[in-house]
């Protein structure tokens, strides 16, 4: 049995895979690992195994349908305080050639952006599960979501006791680093 040559398609594409077999005894039947019983089928990216049987013997072969220009979404952001703007840096790439042509950011606070490297300011401290959908020039997409920490703004304060002239002043730090 021969499942044919490996094929390449874009991420939303399909390919026709066809098995062929020769047998000296009887008719050949086909069984693919996806359940198809036909010699040919239209499939998306994946690995397909066909088993051909002539009633006495069987043989198997594998064919792969591989996506080209698969995007890999990635980004980086550094922790900031809630009063500071957060810089998001797109680090997405495309395996097998191609380019990223659009970015869809969800900042997990009800706001969105389509810029490649947006700047966003959170109004409250917390952990936000930020998502980026990167789309390639072949209309293939990948999504990554990761937590971004926004720290509270520290409240700075100190007190000093009344002292006499010439006595040392000893300030007491009352700063609250957690807001």
């Amino acid at each position: 049995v021969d499942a044919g040559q490996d094929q390449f398609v874009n991420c939303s594409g399909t390919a026709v895979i066809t098995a062929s077999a020769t047998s000296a005894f009887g008719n050949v039947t086909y069984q693919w690992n996806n359940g198809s019983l036909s010699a040919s089928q239209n499939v998306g990216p994946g690995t397909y195994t066909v088993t051909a049987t002539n009633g006495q013997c069987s043989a198997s072969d594998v064919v792969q349908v591989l996506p080209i220009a698969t995007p890999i979404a990635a980004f980086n952001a550094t922790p900031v305080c809630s009063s500071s703007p957060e810089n998001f840096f797109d680090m997405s790439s495309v395996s097998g050639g191609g380019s990223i042509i659009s970015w869809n950011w969800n900042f997990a606070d009800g706001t969105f952006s389509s810029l490649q490297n947006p700047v966003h300011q959170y109004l409250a401290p917390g952990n936000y599960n930020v998502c980026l959908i990167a789309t390639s020039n072949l209309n293939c997409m990948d999504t990554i979501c990761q937590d971004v920490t926004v720290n509270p703004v520290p409240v700075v304060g100190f007190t000093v006791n009344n002292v006499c002239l010439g006595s040392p002043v000893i300030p007491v730090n009352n700063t609250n680093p957690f807001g």
Side-chain angles (χ1 to χ4, degrees):
V1 66
D2 181 10
Q5 298 254 329
D6 290 347
Q7 299 185 42
F8 294 90
V9 296
N10 67 28
C11 61
S12 58
T14 59
V16 175
I17 55 175
T18 302
S20 60
T22 56
S23 172
F25 302 102
N27 293 333
V28 175
T29 60
Y30 299 96
Q31 172 80 44
W32 292 88
N33 63 327
N34 64 357
S36 175
L37 301 174
S38 175
S40 293
Q41 60 178 318
N42 195 19
V43 297
T47 301
Y48 301 92
T49 303
V50 63
T51 301
T53 305
N54 68 2
Q56 295 180 356
C57 300
S58 63
S60 297
D61 194 24
V62 175
V63 63
Q64 289 187 317
V65 178
L66 303 165
I68 56 173
T70 303
I72 301 165
F75 70 89
N76 190 7
T78 55
V80 295
C81 293
S82 57
S83 65
S84 301
E86 176 88 40
N87 292 299
F88 290 88
F89 301 99
D90 169 55
M91 299 173 66
S92 302
S93 61
V94 180
S95 67
S99 59
I100 302 294
I101 61 167
S102 73
W103 303 263
N104 290 302
W105 296 87
N106 179 340
F107 297 115
D109 66 351
T111 60
F112 307 89
S113 176
S114 60
L115 298 174
Q116 180 178 6
N117 297 303
V119 176
H120 180 70
Q121 186 165 342
Y122 287 95
L123 301 178
N127 287 323
Y128 296 88
N129 193 2
V130 177
C131 294
L132 167 64
I133 301 172
T135 305
S136 74
N137 59 323
L138 292 176
N139 203 30
C140 300
M141 293 183 259
D142 188 37
T143 303
I144 185 171
C145 296
Q146 60 189 38
D147 286 335
V148 172
T149 301
V150 178
N151 297 306
V153 177
V155 176
V156 179
F158 67 93
T159 57
V160 267
N161 294 334
N162 292 331
V163 295
C164 295
L165 183 63
S167 298
V169 174
I170 303 173
V172 176
N173 183 0
N174 297 323
T175 299
N176 181 352
F178 305 109

